[in-house]
Amino acid sequence: MRAAATLSCVTVLAIACARSAAPPAERPAPEPIPGLEPARPLPPALEVEPSRLPPVPAVDGPLAIRVVYPPARAVVSVRDSSFLFGSVGSGRASLAINGQPVPVWPNGTWLAWVRFPEGPAMRFELEARRGEELIRATHEVQRAPRFTPRGRLWVDTTSFTPRGLVWWPPDEPLPIAVRATEGASVRLLLPGGGVVPLSAVPDWGPVDEGLRAFDRDTANLARPPRRDRYAGALRGMRLGPDLGSPFGSPRDPATPEATLEAVLGGDTVRVRWPLRVTLLSDPPTAALLDDDRERTGRTDGITVGRALPGGTYHWFFPNGTRAAVAGRVNGDLRLRLSERNEAWVAAAEAVGLGPGAAAGRAVVGSLTATARPGRVQVRIPVSAVIPYRVDEDEDGLVLTLYGAAADPNWIRYGETPGLLRPVTWRQATRDEVEFRLALARPLWGYRVRWERSDLLIELRAAPALDESRPLRGRLIVVDPGHPPGGATGPGGLTEAEANYGIAEELQALLARAGAVVVLTRGPGESLELWPRVRLADTLDADLLVSIHNNALPDGVNPFGNSGSSVFYFHPRSLSLARAVQAALVRRTGLRDLGVARGDLALVRGTWMPSILTEGMFMMLPEHEAALASPPGRRAYAEAVFEGIQAFLREVARGPAGREGGL
C-alpha cells in the first residue's frame, strides 16, 4: 500500500490536505454597502435558478463598456437570437443593447440574450447609464455564412456531397447528394454526354449540435419536413485525370468535371460540381498506420478510426496496424477492416504498402495468461499486426480482431488463482475473431499494446479498499483543464485560472484524507491533452479527475440551460461520475444537467476510472464570481472530494471476489 506523500516534478505539483465539510446553509442576504444602491432584480424571464453559491460582490468602479464575447468582428453561428456578455464596471449601472434592457450583476458584469440583426454584418449599440452618467459603444460581429435560397429555382452549392478529391472502388456506387428547389428535376451531366439522375429524398432540416446537446426546450428541435434533398450514385465512373495513389497530398485542385442541372417549369439552372474521382486498383492497396511519420516523439502512437468521415472516435489503432484501403475522400482514408466493417482514418497517418500486402487472413494462436499483483496479462500471438476493437462491460472485455481466423490450440492460465475467469473465444464471422476476457473482481482498467505481432492485454482489478478510509494510499491525478484554450467569463476570469484554483483546493482535501495526489500542470502552465493522460497512465494512477467549467455554443439561451454535469467514457467510470455529479448539485444548488458519456481525451484513457467535471458555466456572472472566490472554489472542490470518497466507499463495500475465478 502506498503511503500518503507529496510528489513533485517539472510539470506536476504535489497536493496535500483533505477535509469533508457539511453542506453550506442557505446563503444570507449580502450586507448593504454604504453609498451603493441595491442591485435591481433580474427580469423574471431571465431569472437564474436559485443556488447556494456565494453572493456576487458589489463593485462600483469607473463606468466602461466591455464586451468579452463575442469579440469584435468575430464570426458567430446564429439564426435569430444569441448571447453577449461582458462588464460595465459598476453594479449601479444599467445597460441596454439595441434598446433592449440587459441585467447587470452587482459586480458590474452582464449577460444578455438578444435578437441578432439580420444580414452578414451585425451591429450592436450598447448604452450604459449610472445616474446622470451615460456612455455608448458600438460592437460589430459577422454572421457565419449560411445558404439562403433566392429566386424560384435554386441550387445550394455548399451542399454538394462529396466535393473535392475522391478515390473509390470501381465496383461500388459512390453516393452523391445536393439540395435544390423542391419539385425540381435534378440530374448530373457528365463529360462525354453521360447523365446521372438524382431523386428527391424526404428529410428534415438540420438541428445545430449545440441545441441538441444543451437546449432543454424540445420545441427548438422541431423542423418542418423538406423534399429539397436530391440523391444519386456514380457507378464505376472516373471524373477528371487520374489522381494516382490514395496516399500523399495531391496538388491538383478539384476542378469541376461535371455539371448539375436543375429544371423547374421553364427555368433551368446549371452549376459546376467541384469533384474528381479516381478508381482504385484491384486487388486493393494496403495501408500501414503511423501517426508520427515525422518522428517527433510527441504523439500518442494511436490513429483514430471513425464510422464516417468527421465522425466521432470509435476505434483506436496503434502504430504498425495494417489494413486494406477501400477508398479516400479528401483527407479521410477508408480502411476495410473485415467483410462487414470499415473505418475512416486520417490519410496523413497512413503509409502505402502496395497491392496484396493486406491479402488473406491473419491467424490467431494459443493464449497465455500471466498473473501480477492485482492484474493479469494475456498474450495473444497473431501472424500480423491487424486492426482490433475492445469493448468493456462490468468485469471484463470483448476483444474483436478484424481480418483474422482463430486457431488457439490451448489457453494457459498459469498462476492466476481467483482473478481471471475462463477465457472464451469464437469465430464470429469468416474474418472476425472475438475473445471474452473477464476478471473475478470488477474491472478497474486495462491496457492493450503490440509486442512485435503478439497482442498484450493487461486487465486491472478493482483495488481492495478500507471502507473507513478509502482514500488512504490511493494515487489520484487531478487535471486542471486548460490552457491552451478554455472559456472566459464576463469579468475576464479565464477557465484555466478557475480550474487551477479548484484543483488546488481538491489537492488539499484528498491529501489530508491519505491520498497521494498529482496535478498535471502548474499555475499558468500550458499543456496539451495527451501528455495529461499519459502522465496518469505512467504513474499507475488509481483515478484521473479533470476539472473544467462549461460554456455554451452560440444560439443556446444560457439562462435556462446552465447547471452542473460530469462526463465519462468507459462504463466502469459511470458510478464515479454519478457520485461526483450528485455531490456537485447538492453543494452548489445548481440545476442538475446529469452525467453524460463524452468522447473526450481526458476520459478515454483505459487504465483507470476517469471523469471530467463541468461544475459551473464561466459565462454566467454568478458562476464566474463564485469561481473567482475562495468559498466558491472550495465548494466545488468539496463536492468532487465527496463524490470520489463516496465512489471508493461503494467499491470497498463490494465483493472482494467471485466464484468461478481460475
Side-chain angles (χ1 to χ4, degrees):
M1 185 74 73
R2 291 180 292 267
T6 298
L7 305 181
S8 63
C9 63
V10 176
T11 61
V12 190
L13 300 182
I15 34 194
C17 147
R19 180 172 59 87
S20 172
E26 292 295 330
R27 75 182 192 208
E31 292 291 330
I33 298 177
L36 186 65
E37 298 175 4
R40 293 175 298 280
L42 301 180
L46 300 181
E47 188 67 61
V48 177
E49 192 166 276
S51 70
R52 300 188 182 92
L53 300 180
V56 177
V59 173
D60 190 21
L63 200 60
I65 297 175
R66 181 188 179 203
V67 180
V68 172
Y69 186 88
R73 295 175 294 280
V75 177
V76 295
S77 179
V78 298
R79 289 183 178 274
D80 48 21
S81 298
S82 192
F83 52 79
L84 299 90
F85 57 80
S87 62
V88 290
S90 171
R92 293 177 52 207
S94 63
L95 178 68
I97 299 180
N98 289 350
Q100 177 180 325
V102 172
V104 177
W105 270 255
N107 62 357
T109 58
W110 54 269
L111 171 63
W113 176 256
V114 298
R115 179 169 292 279
F116 274 43
E118 297 182 359
M122 297 177 286
R123 182 185 179 98
F124 298 92
E125 301 293 342
L126 293 85
E127 183 176 280
R129 293 179 179 271
R130 179 176 53 185
E132 298 300 318
E133 191 177 1
L134 170 66
I135 59 173
R136 294 186 176 93
T138 298
H139 192 72
E140 296 182 356
V141 296
Q142 298 293 315
R143 187 187 301 274
R146 186 186 296 269
F147 176 78
T148 302
R150 294 178 181 176
R152 177 170 177 263
L153 180 60
W154 52 267
V155 172
D156 180 2
T157 57
T158 68
S159 69
F160 284 142
T161 306
R163 62 191 303 142
L165 308 179
V166 175
W167 291 255
W168 208 249
D171 57 349
E172 181 181 344
L174 174 64
I176 60 174
V178 67
R179 290 197 178 275
T181 301
E182 184 174 336
S185 174
V186 180
R187 60 181 186 168
L188 187 66
L189 308 179
L190 302 174
V195 174
V196 177
L198 280 73
S199 302
V201 180
D203 69 353
W204 287 261
V207 176
D208 292 337
E209 284 300 309
L211 290 176
R212 289 197 180 277
F214 292 101
D215 203 323
R216 299 166 66 242
D217 184 358
T218 56
N220 291 331
L221 304 180
R223 294 289 185 275
R226 298 162 45 164
R227 297 184 62 89
D228 61 0
R229 180 174 181 271
Y230 296 81
L234 298 177
R235 301 175 186 273
M237 299 178 186
R238 190 182 82 181
L239 290 180
D242 193 291
L243 295 170
S245 167
F247 302 97
S249 303
R251 296 182 179 180
D252 294 338
T255 52
E257 297 291 342
T259 300
L260 185 81
E261 179 185 78
V263 179
L264 183 65
D267 296 331
T268 300
V269 170
R270 293 188 181 93
V271 291
R272 302 285 280 173
W273 193 317
L275 176 66
R276 290 177 58 180
V277 180
T278 286
L279 302 180
L280 290 176
S281 60
D282 190 19
T285 298
L288 178 75
L289 301 184
D290 184 354
D291 76 331
D292 191 17
R293 295 171 62 180
E294 301 299 323
R295 298 296 176 259
T296 65
R298 296 194 296 268
T299 69
D300 60 2
I302 297 292
T303 292
V304 171
R306 311 167 192 262
L308 72 165
T312 191
Y313 293 8
H314 191 64
W315 291 273
F316 303 91
F317 302 128
N319 286 349
T321 301
R322 64 178 61 187
V325 174
R328 175 177 170 177
V329 176
N330 297 313
D332 295 295
L333 192 70
R334 186 174 67 156
L335 303 181
R336 182 75 66 195
L337 306 181
S338 65
E339 290 181 351
R340 67 175 185 176
N341 274 291
E342 62 184 34
W344 292 85
V345 301
E349 298 182 11
V351 179
L353 293 178
R361 293 180 293 169
V363 177
V364 182
S366 299
L367 282 66
T368 302
T370 304
R372 297 180 179 180
R375 62 194 68 176
V376 173
Q377 183 185 87
V378 177
R379 181 180 291 270
I380 305 175
V382 188
S383 62
V385 178
I386 56 176
Y388 66 80
R389 176 175 166 81
V390 175
D391 293 284
E392 66 172 80
D393 54 25
E394 182 181 356
D395 57 3
L397 309 173
V398 175
L399 168 70
T400 302
L401 292 164
Y402 300 106
D407 187 29
N409 191 38
W410 37 257
I411 299 174
R412 296 180 61 87
Y413 293 99
E415 297 295 326
T416 58
L419 189 56
L420 182 65
R421 296 171 68 86
V423 177
T424 61
W425 68 272
R426 71 187 185 107
Q427 188 77 43
T429 67
R430 176 182 173 274
D431 57 355
E432 290 187 11
V433 177
E434 290 182 3
F435 286 93
R436 168 79 173 130
L437 308 171
L439 298 177
R441 302 210 307 262
L443 178 70
W444 196 256
Y446 66 91
R447 291 187 181 119
V448 187
R449 66 183 176 89
W450 288 100
E451 187 177 274
R452 297 176 298 277
S453 65
D454 285 0
L455 190 63
L456 304 183
I457 304 180
E458 194 172 8
L459 293 87
R460 186 184 191 188
L465 301 173
D466 180 352
E467 185 178 349
S468 63
R469 294 199 64 189
L471 280 159
R472 183 171 56 190
R474 295 300 102 200
L475 175 53
I476 300 177
V477 171
V478 176
D479 171 53
H482 307 291
T488 301
L493 178 69
T494 67
E495 185 187 349
E497 295 176 81
N499 296 345
Y500 190 82
I502 296 162
E504 280 192 308
E505 295 280 355
L506 179 58
Q507 160 188 21
L509 293 168
L510 291 168
R512 185 176 296 176
V516 179
V517 191
V518 175
L519 298 189
T520 58
R521 68 171 177 88
E525 185 179 359
S526 181
L527 191 65
E528 297 295 336
L529 298 177
W530 169 239
R532 301 171 191 244
V533 179
R534 180 169 52 196
L535 174 67
D537 192 280
T538 301
L539 293 177
D540 238 12
D542 292 301
L543 297 176
L544 171 59
V545 178
S546 187
I547 303 296
H548 287 253
N549 286 283
N550 224 332
L552 287 169
D554 297 321
V556 179
N557 192 332
F559 292 102
N561 297 289
S562 60
S564 294
S565 57
V566 177
F567 289 83
Y568 75 99
F569 187 78
H570 299 287
R572 64 197 137 76
S573 300
L574 176 56
S575 294
L576 174 60
R578 284 175 172 161
V580 171
Q581 172 67 6
L584 276 169
V585 172
R586 183 173 62 251
R587 279 280 181 180
T588 65
L590 299 180
R591 181 181 290 112
D592 186 356
L593 299 181
V595 300
R597 184 180 184 274
D599 196 357
L600 308 169
L602 265 298
V603 294
R604 282 199 305 265
T606 63
W607 191 232
M608 75 289 294
S610 308
I611 59 169
L612 184 148
T613 65
E614 296 278 11
M616 302 184 202
F617 274 75
M618 294 296 302
M619 63 196 301
L620 287 173
E622 185 181 31
H623 293 201
E624 181 195 32
L627 293 169
S629 71
R633 293 177 176 180
R634 192 174 305 119
Y636 190 138
E638 286 171 344
V640 179
F641 169 78
E642 291 172 5
I644 292 173
Q645 187 167 249
F647 165 72
L648 292 178
R649 281 184 173 146
E650 178 185 332
V651 173
R653 287 192 292 268
R658 306 181 194 175
E659 294 182 1
L662 291 164

